């Protein structure tokens, strides 16, 4: 192959008929920890994928190490979310990983994508309680077509038509991604196809149970407003009916201005928001500045599972961790 191809599952799998060699030493790479966990779950008892973005590094501003660039050259399959998240992979997937296949999981069949909403908006009323009850909805009726509120002109500069890439934070999307991973691996390694598909069935069953448990856990705090560090949580919020009222920064790469901080402080006062969440990947000092003079508490959300050990269990653990973080910070203080 002269350049890496993007593999999408449609009516017929493009798979390895496009020229990727099937090898007993197949090398599989995953971009971020949630993707790695899903791929590892599907590959259980067959192999282990390599991870690019380790620890608490952020995919929003990541640079490949020379050893990782070398690994990409040898990769058979590279699973990533897509262009809207791991921008650091765009060029390497075209110029380095020329003999493999990249799989954009945000574009997998069954994955629902939401447009970026304006992080400056008061999104308190846009959490979709009518659309998200406490069962595991299908993509056809889960209300994801609902548009975010327009507001005060602030927003991400992602270009027209860009989608929010944090798709894994909706467990229904994670199930669709898991099935896509299994079919892709089955095409690349047919001798283990039955194992991949059984692992995927086991993992999606766990995700379904997890979804039901989280919905029950979060039901008592759905109406409690909060502020996040950056607007990465609408998939989780719409699935579980939570009430975000704003985000500190409009882009994780940008430091908010004093005016922006003052705006968020006013929003906390106006909405009665009870918590402001930081993230392990970004400077927590901003959160302390924001809550100064307000009664809001602080919590930490870890959408990448950056503090968890890499494993096939990480996705379920990170989602339960997110639920605990919301419950701990949003529940009334005793």
């Amino acid at each position: 192959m002269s350049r890496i191809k993007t593999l999408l599952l449609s009516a017929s799998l493009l798979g390895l008929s496009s020229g990727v060699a099937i090898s007993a030493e197949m090398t599989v790479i995953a971009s971020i920890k949630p993707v790695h966990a899903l791929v590892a779950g599907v590959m259980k008892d067959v192999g282990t994928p390599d991870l690019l973005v380790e620890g608490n590094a952020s995919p929003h501003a990541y640079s490949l190490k020379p050893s990782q660039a070398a690994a990409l050259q040898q990769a058979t399959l590279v699973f990533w979310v897509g262009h809207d998240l791991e921008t650091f992979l765009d060029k390497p997937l075209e110029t380095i990983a020329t003999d493999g296949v990249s799989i954009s999981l945000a574009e997998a069949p069954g994955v629902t994508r939401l447009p970026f909403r304006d992080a400056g908006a008061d999104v308190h009323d846009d959490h979709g309680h009518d659309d998200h009850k406490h069962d595991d909805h299908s993509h056809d009726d889960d209300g994801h077509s609902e548009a975010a509120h327009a507001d005060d002109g602030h927003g991400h500069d992602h270009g027209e038509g860009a989608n929010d890439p944090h798709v894994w934070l909706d467990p229904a999307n994670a199930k669709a991604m898991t099935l896509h991973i299994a079919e892709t691996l089955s095409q690349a390694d047919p001798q283990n196809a039955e194992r991949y598909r059984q692992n995927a069935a086991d993992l999606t069953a766990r995700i379904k149970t997890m979804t039901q448990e989280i919905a029950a856990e979060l039901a008592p705090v759905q109406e409690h407003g909060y502020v996040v560090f950056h607007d990465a949580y609408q998939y989780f919020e719409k699935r579980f009916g939570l009430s975000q009222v704003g985000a500190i920064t409009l882009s994780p790469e940008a430091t908010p201005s004093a005016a922006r901080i003052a705006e968020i402080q006013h929003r906390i006062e106006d909405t009665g928001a009870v918590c402001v969440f930081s993230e392990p990947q970004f400077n927590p000092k901003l959160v302390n500045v924001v809550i100064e003079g307000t009664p809001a508490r602080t919590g930490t959300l870890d959408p990448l599972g950056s503090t968890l050990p890499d494993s096939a269990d990480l996705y379920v653990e990170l989602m339960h961790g997110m639920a605990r973080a919301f419950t701990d910070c949003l529940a009334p203080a005793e």
Side-chain angles (χ1 to χ4, degrees):
M1 289 171 54
S2 60
R3 56 183 294 183
I4 195 163
K5 295 182 181 293
T6 299
L7 178 63
L8 300 177
L9 296 182
S10 57
S12 62
L13 290 169
L14 297 180
L16 301 208
S17 60
S18 55
V20 178
I22 298 173
S23 169
E25 300 299 325
M26 182 176 68
T27 301
V28 179
I29 292 178
S31 59
I32 60 173
K33 296 181 78 162
V35 169
H36 179 268
L38 297 179
V39 177
V42 175
M43 294 183 68
K44 186 177 179 181
D45 299 326
V46 178
T48 303
D50 295 325
L51 172 65
L52 290 179
V53 183
E54 301 175 323
N56 65 353
S58 169
H60 294 287
Y62 190 76
S63 297
L64 282 176
K65 301 172 185 176
S67 60
Q68 293 173 325
L72 280 176
Q73 282 187 306
Q74 306 300 320
T76 310
L77 301 173
V78 181
F79 291 97
W80 62 322
V81 175
H83 304 277
D84 291 329
L85 184 74
E86 307 100 321
T87 54
F88 72 92
L89 275 176
D90 274 336
K91 187 174 180 180
L93 288 178
E94 291 292 338
T95 61
I96 298 175
T98 55
D99 292 324
V101 172
S102 72
I103 302 93
S104 173
L105 293 176
E107 300 178 58
V111 169
T112 297
R113 290 183 289 172
L114 301 172
F116 278 106
R117 62 186 177 188
D118 190 328
D122 182 345
V123 295
H124 179 78
D125 294 325
D126 191 30
H127 47 71
H129 282 168
D130 291 337
D131 296 317
H132 290 280
K133 305 303 180 185
H134 304 309
D135 57 340
D136 191 29
H137 295 282
S138 71
H139 289 288
D140 293 333
D141 61 0
D142 64 5
H144 275 158
S145 61
E146 178 182 0
H149 284 207
D151 76 328
D152 55 8
H154 299 293
H156 293 269
D157 184 18
H158 294 282
E160 186 176 355
N163 290 306
D164 185 335
H166 303 89
V167 292
W168 68 91
L169 293 179
D170 180 350
N173 281 346
K175 291 198 298 183
M177 292 160 65
T178 298
L179 296 176
H180 186 70
I181 291 165
E183 289 307 309
T184 303
L185 288 167
S186 295
Q187 286 289 307
D189 181 19
Q191 65 182 354
N192 288 305
E194 183 177 353
R195 169 55 58 188
Y196 294 137
R197 289 169 179 147
Q198 183 58 56
N199 286 344
D202 294 343
L203 181 52
T204 55
R206 286 187 66 196
I207 293 172
K208 180 177 181 179
T209 299
M210 173 206 77
T211 304
Q212 294 166 344
E213 292 169 348
I214 290 176
E217 179 179 356
L218 293 177
V221 298
Q222 284 182 320
E223 302 297 335
H224 300 187
Y226 59 90
V227 169
V228 296
F229 183 81
H230 85 291
D231 192 33
Y233 303 98
Q234 64 171 322
Y235 291 96
F236 193 92
E237 291 158 1
K238 288 177 179 290
R239 174 58 56 189
F240 297 111
L242 297 177
S243 303
Q244 185 201 135
V245 300
I248 295 173
T249 180
L250 305 178
S251 171
E253 296 87 2
T255 300
S257 65
R260 176 65 184 169
I261 291 173
E263 178 185 351
I264 291 296
Q265 288 175 324
H266 288 310
R267 187 164 297 168
I268 292 171
E269 295 172 1
D270 292 344
T271 63
V274 298
C275 187
V276 178
F277 288 102
S278 62
E279 296 178 27
Q281 296 83 14
F282 303 107
N283 189 348
K285 293 180 181 179
L286 284 171
V287 172
N288 295 327
V289 172
V290 167
I291 66 168
E292 187 174 351
T294 78
R297 300 184 289 273
T298 62
T300 302
L301 295 173
D302 186 7
L304 292 170
S306 62
T307 61
L308 299 173
D310 305 335
S311 75
D313 297 323
L314 178 141
Y315 178 74
V316 171
E317 291 174 359
L318 89 82
M319 293 291 281
H320 275 301
M322 292 261 295
R324 284 193 300 273
F326 278 114
T327 301
D328 290 347
C329 203
L330 298 180
E334 297 182 359

